[in-house]
Amino acid sequence: MKNIFLKVSYDGTNYCGWQKQNNAVSIQQTLEKAISNITREDTELIASGRTDSGVHALGQVCNFKTSSNIPSQKFAYAINSKLPKDIRVIESKEVDFSFNARFSAKKKTYMYRIYNSEMANPFYYKYSMQVAKKLDMDLMSKNVNMLIGTYDWTSFYTYETNNPKNPVRTIYSADISKNNDMITFEIEGNGFLYNMVRIIVGTLIDIGLHKNERDIKQIIEKKDRLYAGATAKPQGLFLKEVCYQ
Amino acid sequence: MKNIFLKVSYDGTNYCGWQKQNNAVSIQQTLEKAISNITREDTELIASGRTDSGVHALGQVCNFKTSSNIPSQKFAYAINSKLPKDIRVIESKEVDFSFNARFSAKKKTYMYRIYNSEMANPFYYKYSMQVAKKLDMDLMSKNVNMLIGTYDWTSFYTYETNNPKNPVRTIYSADISKNNDMITFEIEGNGFLYNMVRIIVGTLIDIGLHKNERDIKQIIEKKDRLYAGATAKPQGLFLKEVCYQ
């Protein structure tokens, strides 16, 4: 038995998200089917975390165990030959048997794209959230800096029955920049609560539109979801990278 | 009666191209339906030219005549409210009654994107042509410069019964550049024959792979389609701009 690490990139538009569901096509199910097709075994994939419907990945990581004697590096090519074009395995390698894509993850980086233009763009609507009114980039930048540090993020996640008990996470870096009408936000942390990045972005948008007079620091201190903004749309979110060391 | 000019951007992936067809959905038909929905009139759209199935447009231009009293600049918003998200009218204005999007066009600019990477990318496959082997950019650049001028382009178009009799066209500028793995080719001319840009790109790719020992100048001189390369895939092609003065 070998433990195989996969780095995967996908356009989440046509999927119900990472996780298997009964009445919809998921990334996980599509990948497991392609792998089983190659290995002739049942496949159980473990991912670094779920992504929601419409959310994209540049570097999702997952792993599975197999008795197949396909060389580890060749798995990427073999699996890709069985996948639709909107999912690509960009790397495959053998890792230590103890490696678990979810529990071994040390850092994650997410990217969120905001298209700040009055006019919608047919090439961007699946890969960004459009905000028609001009956003105050200076004010947003100041607030992005307030995200860095170790905090209780209770104001910034969606309650679920299986939420982790501890809402403390550390953000190592956060950055926002603008290129023409496209704003790119990047955030790196040791972990993220459910919808945390999208709620942070929704709050930054409210701040950038001068619709929330509190700053990020004050909203963190409230420890109450009501003070943060709406959850920003899934199509602007990209899981960029997962680090394991 | 007014003559309305529209500038339109579209993702051509899900359409059979600009022109109306019996068994498939075209950009033209989708736009005419949206306009008729607003004006309550039959609509006949004239475009600067057709685009083929899968080809995109950043700035296609078309015009139609109407008795509607909707202010000309408001047409863009009104039509967009009736269109799918992959087609957007980005400008509308009234023009002289003699304006004809096809016959008044003086210059056109096309862009073609080549994704030069061994690994396919789930975000690029609808918006570029992938070439796995490394292309010789220096050699391609030299050949791109040979495109500029007034020539008989017989080597570079697909024969059709309704082809224009005169295969002479003037290319004002042509440029190729690379950013990471994405190569962008741009070409501006007074007009283009059927498939001309895609055949030029297919030929440049052969030259960049050292698979065609002739250069562009020599292939132009042959005046024979057999010496040029294959027609490059439609999904890499974008109609970027049409100029009328």
Side-chain angles (χ1 to χ4, degrees):
Chain A
M1 288 283 276
K2 287 188 294 189
N3 192 9
I4 304 293
F5 165 110
L6 299 180
K7 192 189 276 189
V8 185
S9 179
Y10 49 80
D11 177 340
T13 306
N14 296 319
Y15 298 91
C16 66
W18 171 266
Q19 200 164 45
K20 272 187 277 194
Q21 284 182 21
N22 279 333
N23 304 309
V25 180
S26 68
I27 310 280
Q28 181 182 13
Q29 167 197 345
T30 308
L31 271 165
E32 287 180 350
K33 210 173 122 189
I35 297 167
S36 292
N37 201 315
I38 303 291
T39 61
R40 305 280 158 194
E41 302 165 339
D42 280 346
T43 306
E44 200 189 335
L45 264 181
I46 296 163
S48 72
R50 295 179 284 166
T51 52
D52 283 330
S53 178
V55 172
H56 315 291
L58 303 175
Q60 169 72 290
V61 173
C62 47
N63 72 294
F64 67 99
K65 289 172 180 168
T66 180
S67 313
S68 162
N69 53 15
I70 295 170
S72 309
Q73 257 104 17
K74 298 281 178 199
F75 265 111
Y77 301 93
I79 299 169
N80 282 337
S81 73
K82 306 291 179 189
L83 282 175
K85 287 183 176 174
D86 52 4
I87 307 178
R88 287 291 105 177
V89 178
I90 53 180
E91 189 188 349
S92 61
K93 62 183 179 189
E94 188 176 351
V95 285
D96 189 87
F97 216 71
S98 67
F99 177 87
N100 175 300
R102 180 166 174 208
F103 295 115
S104 308
K106 295 277 185 293
K107 277 197 305 194
K108 274 188 189 174
T109 308
Y110 281 96
M111 176 173 90
Y112 196 99
R113 303 207 315 166
I114 301 165
Y115 184 55
N116 195 15
S117 168
E118 242 191 290
M119 192 64 81
N121 183 308
F123 300 99
Y124 295 159
Y125 73 94
K126 293 181 209 160
Y127 310 110
S128 63
M129 173 167 164
Q130 190 198 356
V131 176
K133 287 196 185 147
K134 184 134 197 225
L135 289 161
D136 182 337
M137 279 295 287
D138 285 342
L139 188 58
M140 287 172 87
S141 289
K142 275 183 201 126
N143 276 272
V144 164
N145 287 330
M146 297 177 196
L147 293 164
I148 300 165
T150 301
Y151 301 110
D152 176 329
W153 294 93
T154 295
S155 299
F156 292 91
Y157 77 94
T158 302
Y159 178 77
E160 278 197 317
T161 48
N162 61 347
N163 276 143
K165 292 221 176 70
N166 178 3
V168 174
R169 296 289 182 278
T170 300
I171 300 303
Y172 302 116
S173 69
D175 185 66
I176 195 162
S177 62
K178 192 171 179 177
N179 184 7
N180 296 319
D181 291 333
M182 190 64 84
I183 296 171
T184 303
F185 171 67
E186 278 201 23
I187 186 165
E188 183 192 57
N190 66 350
F192 292 88
L193 300 161
Y194 187 52
N195 280 344
M196 181 169 154
V197 180
R198 288 165 58 192
I199 296 170
I200 288 173
V201 170
T203 307
L204 288 170
I205 289 171
D206 282 353
I207 290 170
L209 295 172
H210 304 282
K211 279 167 64 179
N212 190 335
E213 76 281 8
R214 288 187 179 81
D215 64 24
I216 290 284
K217 199 166 183 297
Q218 291 167 328
I219 300 166
I220 292 171
E221 281 163 5
K222 287 285 181 189
K223 292 183 197 169
D224 185 339
R225 174 73 185 84
L226 288 175
Y227 292 89
T231 307
K233 290 182 181 168
Q235 65 265 27
L237 186 62
F238 296 73
L239 172 56
K240 193 178 174 191
E241 210 181 347
V242 189
C243 285
Y244 287 92
Q245 42 147 8
Chain B
M1 287 284 274
K2 287 188 293 190
N3 191 9
I4 302 292
F5 165 109
L6 299 180
K7 192 188 277 187
V8 185
S9 179
Y10 50 81
D11 177 341
T13 307
N14 297 318
Y15 298 91
C16 66
W18 171 266
Q19 201 164 43
K20 271 186 278 194
Q21 284 183 21
N22 279 333
N23 304 309
V25 180
S26 67
I27 310 280
Q28 181 182 12
Q29 167 197 345
T30 307
L31 271 164
E32 286 180 350
K33 210 174 123 188
I35 296 167
S36 292
N37 201 314
I38 303 291
T39 61
R40 305 279 159 195
E41 301 165 341
D42 279 346
T43 305
E44 200 189 334
L45 264 180
I46 297 163
S48 72
R50 295 179 284 167
T51 53
D52 282 332
S53 178
V55 173
H56 315 290
L58 302 175
Q60 168 71 290
V61 173
C62 47
N63 72 294
F64 67 98
K65 290 174 179 166
T66 179
S67 313
S68 162
N69 53 16
I70 295 170
S72 309
Q73 256 105 20
K74 297 282 178 197
F75 265 111
Y77 301 94
I79 299 168
N80 281 337
S81 74
K82 306 291 179 189
L83 283 174
K85 285 182 178 173
D86 51 6
I87 307 179
R88 288 292 105 179
V89 179
I90 54 180
E91 189 188 348
S92 61
K93 61 182 178 190
E94 189 175 350
V95 284
D96 190 86
F97 215 70
S98 66
F99 177 87
N100 176 299
R102 181 166 173 209
F103 296 115
S104 309
K106 296 278 185 291
K107 278 196 305 192
K108 273 186 190 177
T109 308
Y110 281 95
M111 175 173 91
Y112 196 98
R113 303 206 316 167
I114 301 165
Y115 185 56
N116 195 15
S117 168
E118 242 191 292
M119 191 64 81
N121 183 309
F123 299 100
Y124 296 157
Y125 74 95
K126 293 181 211 159
Y127 311 110
S128 63
M129 173 167 166
Q130 191 197 354
V131 176
K133 286 195 185 149
K134 185 135 197 226
L135 290 162
D136 182 337
M137 277 297 287
D138 285 342
L139 188 58
M140 288 171 85
S141 290
K142 274 183 202 125
N143 277 272
V144 164
N145 287 331
M146 297 177 196
L147 294 164
I148 299 166
T150 301
Y151 302 109
D152 176 329
W153 294 93
T154 295
S155 298
F156 292 92
Y157 78 93
T158 302
Y159 178 77
E160 278 198 317
T161 48
N162 60 347
N163 276 145
K165 292 222 177 69
N166 178 3
V168 175
R169 296 289 183 277
T170 300
I171 300 303
Y172 302 116
S173 68
D175 185 68
I176 195 163
S177 62
K178 191 171 180 178
N179 185 8
N180 295 317
D181 292 332
M182 190 63 82
I183 296 171
T184 302
F185 170 67
E186 278 201 22
I187 186 164
E188 185 192 56
N190 66 349
F192 293 89
L193 300 161
Y194 187 51
N195 280 346
M196 179 169 155
V197 180
R198 288 166 57 192
I199 296 171
I200 288 174
V201 170
T203 308
L204 288 170
I205 289 171
D206 281 354
I207 290 170
L209 294 172
H210 305 282
K211 279 168 62 180
N212 190 334
E213 76 282 8
R214 289 188 176 81
D215 64 24
I216 289 285
K217 199 166 183 300
Q218 291 167 328
I219 300 166
I220 291 173
E221 282 162 4
K222 287 284 181 191
K223 291 184 198 169
D224 185 338
R225 174 74 184 85
L226 288 175
Y227 292 89
T231 307
K233 291 184 180 168
Q235 66 266 26
L237 186 63
F238 296 73
L239 172 56
K240 194 179 174 191
E241 210 181 347
V242 189
C243 285
Y244 287 92
Q245 40 145 9

